[in-house]
């Protein structure tokens, strides 16, 4: 899976500058240029995978380790009280850069940032039906 025009691949190759905060041989973390909250950092696999669903499992431990290290660093450096780790997968979910990336966002009391307002099912049966459908699709 290669994309010569991918902006994050260009960052990995050093063709576009970034404010790097952490790197291993397979993972890179750098500041998001348009932070939802100051300190917002991105953690990416260096290899080009479009979404979470494309990332090989054997990269999971290194990625999780990087997210935790960066998350702690972001919290300490910004004196944050909380941390959101999120990911947009596919355009319908708000993904704009199609190189998988985890958003690590420091949170503060009353910072005004709202995400995921709760919705509701018509009834519990609807939820159970969906749960059954999802169970059936998990391979
Ligand atoms: P997405 O909506 O795809 O989950 O998030 C893409 C993120 O990448 C956005 O938060 C955006 O601010 C960030 N971004 C886009 N282009 C660049 C760039 O050239 N450099 C950096 N550091 N961040 C970028
Ligand atoms: Zn890429």
């Amino acid at each position: 899976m290669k994309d010569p025009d991918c902006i994050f691949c260009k960052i990995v190759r050093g063709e576009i500058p970034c404010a790097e905060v952490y790197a291993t041989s397979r993972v890179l973390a750098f500041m998001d240029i348009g932070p939802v909250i100051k300190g917002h950092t991105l953690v990416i696999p260096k290899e080009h995978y479009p979404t979470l669903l494309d990332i090989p499992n054997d990269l999971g431990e290194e990625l999780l380790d990087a997210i935790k290290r960066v998350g702690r660093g972001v919290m300490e450096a910004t004196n944050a009280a909380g941390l959101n780790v999120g990911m947009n997968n596919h355009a319908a979910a708000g993904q704009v850069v199609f190189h998988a990336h985890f958003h690590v966002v420091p949170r503060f009391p009353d910072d005004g940032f709202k995400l995921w307002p709760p919705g509701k099912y018509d009834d519990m049966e609807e939820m159970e039906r969906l749960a059954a459908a999802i169970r059936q699709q998990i391979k």
Side-chain angles (χ1 to χ4, degrees):
M1 268 174 247
K2 296 259 184 241
D3 175 0
D5 296 326
C6 171
I7 196 158
F8 287 177
C9 283
K10 287 182 180 170
I11 286 176
V12 169
R13 292 196 297 264
E15 294 166 16
I16 291 178
C18 76
E20 179 179 325
V21 297
Y22 181 71
T24 68
S25 59
R26 299 207 289 172
V27 174
L28 177 68
F30 53 95
M31 304 304 282
D32 192 300
I33 208 160
V36 296
I37 297 194
K38 289 174 185 176
H40 180 172
T41 302
L42 300 172
V43 177
I44 70 169
K46 285 184 172 175
E47 192 76 27
H48 182 88
Y49 302 110
T51 74
L52 174 71
L53 306 182
D54 307 302
I55 296 176
N57 285 351
D58 75 354
L59 202 52
E61 191 171 337
E62 198 161 326
L63 267 171
L64 181 61
D65 183 71
I67 291 165
K68 288 166 67 181
R69 284 176 197 271
V70 169
R72 287 193 200 100
V74 166
M75 283 190 78
E76 291 289 332
T78 61
N79 210 17
L83 191 72
N84 283 124
V85 175
M87 190 172 198
N88 302 322
N89 293 286
H90 297 292
Q95 187 174 7
V96 173
V97 177
F98 295 95
H99 179 134
H101 52 280
F102 295 85
H103 295 264
V104 177
V105 181
R107 298 300 307 274
F108 305 89
D110 306 319
D111 62 22
F113 180 49
K114 294 261 183 292
L115 76 170
W116 294 1
K120 62 182 164 82
Y121 289 107
D122 294 341
D123 50 41
M124 287 300 105
E125 254 188 276
E126 185 189 20
M127 187 178 79
E128 290 298 343
R129 269 199 311 278
L130 260 175
I134 292 167
R135 275 196 296 274
Q136 217 178 3
Q137 292 301 325
I138 292 177
K139 286 146 188 142

